[in-house]
Structures are given as structure tokens and as C-alpha cells.
């Protein structure tokens, strides 16, 4: 029996490294997509995972869904390593909702077939009871049962994302990995889907890992926020703390990008001085130093430690008292 304090989902020092070949005759080099990630989610939490494209968010989603194995470290569900879980049982407990509902739904299958598929794969019920479950979940996501015979191409982007949500929830999972679930939708539809996800979380006591490059979207739904940069978590904070007292220079730049005319486009380079670095050759010291407005000499030479503070965790020399004391003495 697990303690009630056991996180429902935990990553312990998870690293994922790929080998990448540069050019036809180039040498193979390691690319570290995740570098020592430790995170915990308690039941009913919504952890917003934020960062630019290429920071490792999608690699983390694949590992959590059991689609890839970490190179080192552990992922635990209710305190048990997911490597030891039966794949089908893991799929029952953790379900994904992806960015583009059009490409994630089979265009040749009817809406009924798409939503019923997980029930069939898990041999749950007979045809009649499966149809009832499909009708019930359609109602929950706000779609009429007349769409059961439709195909994805006959539905709008918002309706397709509702179908994708219905498919994810029909098995009554405990954890949902939402990978940019609104970024392919019109702005007017985005807030409807975010509101729906919020309602479903309360109704079904769901725990979300909510991946997004857009802090404004995360603010809407998350209870905690983790900001990723080049495979590392550089700040973790409550959502109030993140938006009221952002500490890390990168999180501050992300917040400023929300105030641009087109926040959905992510972080414009003008906010950070230069483009996102090549993850195969990450900068020395603090990986963020070439783009950081608060950079000092030590940042170029020494990687910052992760500091536990009263408001969360942060990885920056500015918030390391030992480093700051040494700089004052020097
Ligand atoms: Fe900026 Fe230095 Fe902090 Fe890195 S360690 S975020 S370069 S101030």
C-alpha cells in the first residue's frame, strides 16, 4: 500500500541520449535530449512543462507514455517503475492528447471506431456496452451522438480535438499527457478546449502533464510550472510564483514573449539576442549563458546547481548564495 504522499508520477534523474550523425560522412555525436530531469506530480496536479521547440518536452512525453526508454534514471507511477508495468496496463493509466487532432485520428475510421478502439484493444465489454461508453464520453466532451458515423474530415478542428480527448478518456485514465493540445487550433477554440480540460480534470480527478511552448496557455490550467531549457529543468515553481515572482532569466524572457503580438509563435529571438543553440554542441557552463541578459564570467565556465528554495527550484548562479558570496569576496 502506497503512502498518500507518494507522487502519482515521478521522474528521478532521467537522462535520454541519442546518437546523431551530422551529414552523410560526418561523425556520430551524442545528443542529450533530457539531462538529469527530476520532477514529481501529485494526484490532481497539473504540471505545465514549458520551453522552446527542441528543449526535450516531447522526448519526455514519449518516455512517460512508455514509447521510449530513458538512457538512465527512473520513471515511477504510484512509486513503481514503469519498466516493470505491463504495457497495456500502463496505457490504461496514462493516455496522451496530441497537438494535431487531424493527424492523430485515423481518417478512414468513423468517430465511433476511433473512440471505441482502446476499449477493443483492452477487451473491455461487448459491442453494446462499448457503444454505450462511447456515447457517454461523447456527451462528456460536448459532442452529440449523431457524429458517431462521421469521419474526422467532416469535423472542425475543435470537434476533432474533442474526439481525441474522448478517445483518451474512454479508458478512465489517471494521468493525461497533453502535448500542445491547443496549439493547432484557432485562438477562439483554444479557450473552449482549455476550459473543457479543466472541467474534465475536476470531474474525473485527473492528473495532467501539460506540455506547451506558451506560458499564457499554461497559466490558464496549471498548478505548477517547470521551465525546460536544452534538456534541463531550469525553474520549477507554483503557477502563482511563476507569474508573480519569476526568478530565472530564461523564464522571464518566456514571460516577456507572452506579451508579444503573436504569443502562439513562441519566443522570438529578439527577446533573447540569438537563436536556440544546437543541442549537439551545447554552450559551456550554464547552457543559457549566450542568450542571458544577466550573464557573468562564472556562467560561461561553471554549470549552475539546482537550488531548492521556499518558492520552488531554480538552476541559476544568481540564486546560489555560495556562488554570490564568493563573487562578493573576489
Ligand atoms: Fe544567466 Fe548565469 Fe543564471 Fe545562466 S547561471 S541563467 S547565464 S545568470
Amino acid at each position: 500500500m502506497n503512502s498518500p504522499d507518494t507522487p502519482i508520477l515521478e521522474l528521478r534523474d532521467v537522462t535520454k541520449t541519442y546518437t546523431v550523425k551530422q551529414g552523410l560522412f560526418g561523425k556520430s555525436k551524442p545528443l542529450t535530449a533530457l539531462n538529469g530531469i527530476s520532477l514529481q506530480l501529485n494526484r490532481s496536479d497539473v504540471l505545465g512543462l514549458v520551453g522552446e521547440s527542441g528543449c526535450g518536452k516531447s522526448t519526455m512525453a514519449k518516455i512517460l507514455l512508455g514509447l521510449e526508454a530513458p538512457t538512465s534514471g527512473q520513471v515511477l507511477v504510484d512509486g513503481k517503475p514503469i519498466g516493470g508495468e505491463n504495457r497495456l496496463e500502463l496505457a490504461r493509466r496514462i493516455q496522451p492528447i496530441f497537438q494535431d487532432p487531424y493527424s492523430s485520428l485515423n481518417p478512414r475510421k468513423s468517430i465511433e471506431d476511433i473512440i471505441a478502439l482502446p476499449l477493443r484493444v483492452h477487451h473491455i465489454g461487448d459491442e453494446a456496452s462499448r457503444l454505450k461508453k462511447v456515447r457517454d464520453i461523447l456527451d462528456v466532451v460536448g459532442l452529440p451522438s449523431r457524429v458517431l458515423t462521421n469521419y474526422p474530415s467532416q469535423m472542425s478542428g475543435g470537434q476533432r480535438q474533442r474526439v481525441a480527448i474522448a478517445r483518451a478518456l474512454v479508458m478512465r485514465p489517471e494521468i493525461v499527457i497533453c502535448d500542445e493540445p491547443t496549439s493547432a487550433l484557432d485562438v477562439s477554440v483554444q479557450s473552449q478546449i482549455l476550459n473543457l480540460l479543466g472541467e474534465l480534470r475536476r470531474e474525473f480527478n485527473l492528473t495532467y502533464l501539460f506540455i506547451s511552448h506558451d506560458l499564457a496557455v499554461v497559466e490558464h490550467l496549471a498548478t505548477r510550472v517547470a521551465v525546460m531549457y536544452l534538456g534541463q529543468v531550469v525553474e520549477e515553481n507554483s503557477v502563482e510564483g511563476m507569474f508573480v515572482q519569476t526568478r530565472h532569466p530564461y523564464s522571464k524572457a518566456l514571460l516577456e514573449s507572452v506579451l508579444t503580438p503573436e504569443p502562439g509563435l513562441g519566443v522570438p529571438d529578439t527577446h533573447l539576442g540569438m537563436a536556440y543553440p544546437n543541442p549537439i554542441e551545447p554552450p559551456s557552463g550554464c547552457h543559457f549563458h549566450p542568450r542571458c541578459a544577466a550573464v557573468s564570467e562564472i556562467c560561461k565556465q561553471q554549470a549552475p546547481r539546482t537550488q531548492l528554495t521556499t518558492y520552488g527550484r531554480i538552476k541559476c548562479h544568481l540564486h546560489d548564495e555560495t556562488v554570490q558570496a564568493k563573487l562578493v569576496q573576489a
Side-chain angles (χ1 to χ4, degrees):
M1 185 79 181
N2 287 323
S3 134
D5 297 333
T6 305
I8 188 168
L9 186 64
E10 183 176 5
L11 288 93
R12 283 191 195 155
D13 204 12
V14 168
T15 293
K16 179 71 184 179
T17 306
Y18 299 99
T19 302
V20 179
K21 202 165 180 185
Q22 290 192 301
L24 198 54
F25 303 106
K27 274 189 177 171
S28 294
K29 289 194 170 183
L31 184 158
T32 303
L34 298 179
N35 190 353
I37 301 280
S38 293
L39 285 171
Q40 293 187 345
L41 266 99
N42 295 321
R43 200 171 282 276
S44 307
D45 263 2
V46 181
L47 179 68
L49 192 64
V50 187
E52 288 164 277
S53 163
C55 73
K57 302 180 303 252
S58 294
T59 302
M60 191 189 291
K62 285 182 199 153
I63 287 175
L64 292 175
L65 291 165
L67 302 175
E68 296 208 12
T71 309
S72 63
Q74 273 191 317
V75 179
L76 302 106
V77 176
D78 267 340
K80 295 192 198 100
I82 61 168
E85 286 251 12
N86 174 303
R87 280 292 293 271
L88 274 183
E89 174 59 16
L90 189 64
R92 197 196 60 74
R93 302 186 71 183
I94 308 180
Q95 279 288 314
I97 300 170
F98 293 111
Q99 173 177 0
D100 182 355
Y102 196 63
S103 62
S104 70
L105 302 179
N106 187 336
R108 291 192 196 85
K109 297 280 183 193
S110 70
I111 301 307
E112 180 189 339
D113 282 343
I114 287 170
I115 300 175
L117 183 64
L119 298 171
R120 287 200 189 101
V121 169
H122 289 258
H123 305 293
I124 293 175
D126 54 17
E127 278 302 317
S129 68
R130 283 198 284 264
L131 180 58
K132 176 163 185 336
K133 281 183 192 290
V134 171
R135 284 176 183 273
D136 289 348
I137 201 74
L138 264 188
D139 186 43
V140 165
V141 301
L143 288 173
S145 54
R146 69 182 139 76
V147 304
L148 281 173
T149 52
N150 282 10
Y151 287 82
S153 60
Q154 296 171 291
M155 305 185 80
S156 69
Q159 286 176 321
R160 285 198 288 263
Q161 196 56 301
R162 285 176 194 265
V163 171
I165 294 169
R167 180 183 56 182
L169 297 191
V170 75
M171 295 288 298
R172 296 287 193 268
E174 295 154 73
I175 302 164
V176 182
I177 311 293
C178 306
D179 190 357
E180 305 262 12
T182 59
S183 54
L185 303 175
D186 289 346
V187 177
S188 58
V189 182
Q190 284 186 6
S191 60
Q192 293 171 17
I193 295 295
L194 289 175
N195 288 339
L196 175 65
L197 288 170
E199 286 162 19
L200 295 172
R201 174 193 158 219
R202 285 185 288 278
E203 189 170 342
F204 297 113
N205 195 23
L206 296 167
T207 303
Y208 289 151
L209 179 76
F210 195 93
I211 297 173
S212 179
H213 62 268
D214 188 344
L215 264 174
V217 168
V218 166
E219 184 184 18
H220 197 91
L221 206 63
T223 51
R224 293 193 65 74
V225 183
V227 176
M228 281 186 75
Y229 191 78
L230 270 184
Q232 298 178 325
V233 172
V234 295
E235 182 168 7
E236 189 193 344
N237 209 331
S238 67
V239 76
E240 299 83 15
M242 183 64 76
F243 286 90
V244 176
Q245 267 188 312
T246 318
R247 309 280 169 146
H248 196 283
Y250 180 57
S251 310
K252 285 183 184 164
L254 283 178
L255 267 177
E256 282 165 20
S257 78
V258 172
L259 305 176
T260 61
E262 291 182 273
L265 294 180
V267 186
D269 289 339
T270 47
H271 280 84
L272 293 165
M274 63 175 285
Y276 200 75
N278 181 353
I280 296 176
E281 285 165 3
S284 61
C286 171
H287 292 341
F288 183 56
H289 87 253
R291 305 170 88 190
C292 181
V295 62
S296 61
E297 208 43 46
I298 189 174
C299 306
K300 300 174 189 170
Q301 294 152 14
Q302 192 178 311
R305 300 178 298 177
T306 299
Q307 301 289 304
L308 264 181
T309 69
T310 46
Y311 50 83
R313 292 187 302 162
I314 191 158
K315 196 174 176 68
C316 173
H317 290 312
L318 289 177
H319 300 276
D320 186 328
E321 286 175 9
T322 313
V323 169
Q324 291 305 311
K326 275 189 195 155
L327 289 177
V328 170
Q329 283 167 12

